[in-house]
Amino acid sequence: MASSRRGPEELMARVRAERTAGSGREVGADRDVRMLGLALVVGFVALVVLRIVVGDDLRARVDEQACAVTGCTGTGMAVTGWALVALPAVWAAVTVGLWSRLSAVARVAALLVAFALALLGWVHVPGKRSSLAFLLAGPGAGAMATGIRWAGIGVAVAVVAATVAAVRSAAPRAAGRPAPSVGVIVAVVLLGSVTVAVARAEPTPVTVATAMPERTFRAAGDTLTRTGGRDLRGCAGVLADDDLLAGCVRTVRVSYTTDDSDAVVHLAAVLFPGERQARDRRGVLRRGTGQRGVPGEAVALSSTTGSWVLLTSVAHADGRPIAEPDRGHLLWAAKQVAYRFIGRQVGLLVAPSPADGIGPRTP
């Protein structure tokens, strides 16, 4: 009799224990949801504040670092722009999906990474009264903007595709027809978007082939022919003292001669991650600082355009000494080459005009 009475009592105790455990799990799940919601609210407010306070400076530093790492190439800057938008979205989706399985330490780490990625991406997203052309600057700005745009398109399409795939996977399916993998679909969409971004990004004029593509060009009635061209990663050997150009990214070196073969122009265009660095480096150069390896007597000039420091040396083709009356037409040839390079950077080819004694030998 005692054993028969204990049977129902043990069953009821087991039921009560299971209900208590289930209630505990529900409370824990609710607490997890509340914690995640609170973290999202606090994070959003912090993002707004930081964007206002440090957004411009952070964006400039990120873009300069991207230029330094990728060499400001169109492909590198397009991938960078794509990653700035796509990675925060992917990280957020993965974090939300795995939230209940993460430990407390892992959750904090995941939220901090998500916050950093979101901030980096948000400072590159224009508002209602601005545009990417206004936000971005530098030689690779156009390619980066292309990457950002296609990343936005890719994320939007991935969200729609993932939603459709999730709904279809929840519905009954015929035997032998596996449900589509949401992860695979999202990966394919995002990889497709970065591929399109790279394909559509315009080459940035940071190499001989893109900055000075013509073997021969005409400017202000003269014909100039390229006699040499070389691309350098960095700027070692451009000047006798490499420290004068510290922080450079890459260098375009070209030589052109005039149609009468009297003058030869040696141009070294040194790229820096940003305009500020270029101006600072230009400021430490002494007047008349000449390039290393230029033969014979030459007139040396330096100037700044955007993120570039232009070092120009011009001499007689035969290396003879430069007489004072020759300086005007030698500098005219140098001016024509420099204008051609600058025109490629800004997308507007304009021939120079004679001024201040600098002009053709036969006006």
Side-chain angles (χ1 to χ4, degrees):
M1 293 294 291
S3 61
S4 63
R5 286 196 300 269
R6 283 199 302 269
E9 292 176 356
E10 291 177 355
L11 180 60
M12 292 300 295
R14 189 179 300 113
V15 170
R16 286 195 296 270
E18 290 178 354
R19 288 179 178 177
T20 301
S23 177
R25 286 193 295 270
E26 291 176 359
V27 171
D30 291 342
R31 185 173 61 250
D32 289 344
V33 172
R34 288 196 299 271
M35 289 178 59
L36 180 58
L38 178 62
L40 292 177
V41 172
V42 173
F44 179 76
V45 173
L47 283 175
V48 173
V49 173
L50 287 176
R51 178 185 170 95
I52 295 173
V53 176
V54 300
D56 293 341
D57 184 64
L58 178 62
R59 180 174 55 253
R61 291 182 179 276
V62 170
D63 296 352
E64 290 171 3
Q65 187 62 33
C67 176
V69 172
T70 66
C72 275
T73 59
T75 298
M77 297 301 284
V79 172
T80 300
W82 176 88
L84 287 170
V85 174
L87 287 185
V90 172
W91 186 268
V94 172
T95 300
V96 172
L98 299 179
W99 184 258
S100 61
R101 305 178 188 178
L102 298 178
S103 65
V105 175
R107 289 177 179 179
V108 172
L111 288 175
L112 291 176
V113 173
F115 181 83
L117 292 176
L119 180 60
L120 293 179
W122 198 12
V123 297
H124 287 84
V125 177
K128 294 182 179 179
R129 299 182 180 180
S130 62
S131 63
L132 282 173
F134 174 78
L135 287 180
L136 306 178
M144 178 177 277
T146 299
I148 290 174
R149 293 189 188 98
W150 279 100
I153 295 173
V155 169
V157 173
V159 169
V160 174
T163 303
V164 172
V167 171
R168 294 188 62 184
S169 64
R173 303 185 62 81
R177 295 181 59 190
S181 171
V182 175
V184 171
I185 292 175
V186 170
V188 170
V189 171
L190 292 180
L191 289 176
S193 68
V194 71
T195 302
V196 175
V198 170
R200 294 183 65 87
E202 295 183 2
T204 53
V206 294
T207 64
V208 173
T210 54
M212 301 291 283
E214 307 101 334
R215 283 284 180 179
T216 300
F217 71 87
R218 288 186 59 82
D222 293 330
T223 301
L224 293 101
T225 302
R226 192 171 76 217
T227 58
R230 190 157 57 106
D231 296 310
L232 299 175
R233 189 62 190 266
C235 53
V238 173
L239 297 178
D241 185 358
D242 290 339
D243 291 339
L244 292 174
L245 297 176
C248 61
V249 175
R250 63 189 310 141
T251 303
V252 174
R253 302 195 74 170
V254 290
S255 298
Y256 279 85
T257 186
T258 52
D259 49 3
D260 62 4
S261 298
D262 177 61
V264 59
V265 180
H266 303 279
L267 174 68
V270 183
L271 178 64
F272 289 84
E275 295 186 13
R276 176 180 53 82
Q277 294 95 323
R279 290 194 301 268
D280 291 344
R281 290 296 92 198
R282 167 68 178 83
V284 302
L285 297 178
R286 296 186 301 275
R287 182 180 179 85
T289 300
Q291 300 175 53
R292 186 178 181 181
V294 174
E297 180 182 345
V299 179
L301 304 169
S302 62
S303 60
T304 306
T305 176
S307 300
W308 295 89
V309 172
L310 304 185
L311 303 167
T312 309
S313 298
V314 58
H316 288 295
D318 58 8
R320 69 181 186 275
I322 298 174
E324 188 60 31
D326 297 336
R327 291 177 62 89
H329 77 265
L330 291 178
L331 290 174
W332 174 244
K335 192 174 183 179
Q336 290 172 311
V337 174
Y339 264 57
R340 197 71 175 184
F341 180 86
I342 295 171
R344 289 289 177 187
Q345 300 302 314
V346 301
L348 181 63
L349 298 177
V350 178
S353 300
D356 301 325
I358 300 175
R361 180 162 51 179
T362 54

